[in-house]
Amino acid sequence: MKKTLLFLLAGVVALAAVALFLFRLPAVQDTVFQRVVNAALGESHPELFTDDALRALVCGSSAPLADRNRAKACIAVFAGGRFYVVDVGPESWENLSAWRIPGDEIGGVLLTHFHSDHIGDLGELNMQTWALGRPERLRVYGPPGVEKVVAGFSLAYELDSAYRTAHHGAELLSPEAGRMRAVPIVLHGDPSPARDRRGLVFDDGGLKVTAIEVSHSPVEPAYGYRFDYRGRSLVISGDTLKHSPLAVASSGADVLFHEAQANHMVEVMGRAAQERGQARLQKILSDITLYHTSPVEAAELANQAKVKLLVLYHFTPPILNRVAESIFVRGLAEVRPGGVEVARDGLLVELPVASEDVRVGRIRGG
Ligand SMILES: [Zn+2]
Ligand SMILES: [Zn+2]
């Protein structure tokens, strides 16, 4: 027995040594690199663009506190041969690019509000999708004020855009296509404190997108978005307190992507800050509990809306390991025993048309 084990071990070591030797040979290295290049230049994710499903891909699931494994807020929605990006938090373009989502197929960006963890990559996404061949201006939808955000990013990237057109030629990189077009979405209804207003973003006959007012004061207005496509639907909350009108606007939807802040963990952090005399951090941690939703509250809202699946995202504090995840969702299972996913970047939800199925998986290569 001992002899067999030793023999096997010697075999593994010998194989590893041979592999190490082979990978030092330029011809082997070149073959491997050629394969990587061929794979990178192949068709990228045609399966996401077929018109037989509504799909959503989590391209960023974290909130302002640092999490090396998660980009900040971003959810890409695929419908009718195009994709739309709801929020473009820092590092989210890196995800989309690394997964080889074809940027020239973008139909628009929808901003829920203008906190930095939701807009940080707007300039990068515009620049990169233009370089990838986007044929027209990038539409950026959002609450009134989106014009200011778009104008600011445009100014910051103005010199770079000019360099690129000068370098590659206007035929390849037309200055017109490289620009952004801000599209402010106006809400209809009574601007009462109840914040129960909606506004049509667009309805192209296949895909209908609706803005839903949420509660993130003093950020006003702040939006969530509902996507309806061929009988399937999903809602993305943006940042909000638990907000009953969002449940009403989500009713009948298949999936709700809802932000989540574990206030019981934030309180522990607040007390630790207090004990260390870090008054500034303590104040910020105390303030943020006033405009976000706890995981249990998000579950209650999902139940109220009767959605099939709740996907939690935009986590404060960051969920850095399994233990933290258990603490984060404590009490949730008692409210909603099933139909909950804790998002990771790369989570893919597919809603096939003419079906009740909700398929949860991961982006290929992610
Ligand atoms: Zn946020
Ligand atoms: Zn926010």
Side-chain angles (χ1 to χ4, degrees), residues 64 112-118 216 219 222 238-240 259 291-292 314:
T112 60
H113 63 298
F114 311 128
H115 271 147
S116 61
D117 55 316
H118 297 255
H216 196 44
V219 182
D239 285 7
T240 182
E259 67 122 292
Y291 68 0
H292 289 291
H314 190 276

Side-chain angles (χ1 to χ4, degrees), residues 180-197:
M180 290 186 270
R181 185 190 302 281
V183 187
I185 303 303
V186 178
L187 301 173
H188 302 289
D190 184 12
S192 66
R195 296 198 181 86
D196 185 10
R197 294 184 295 168

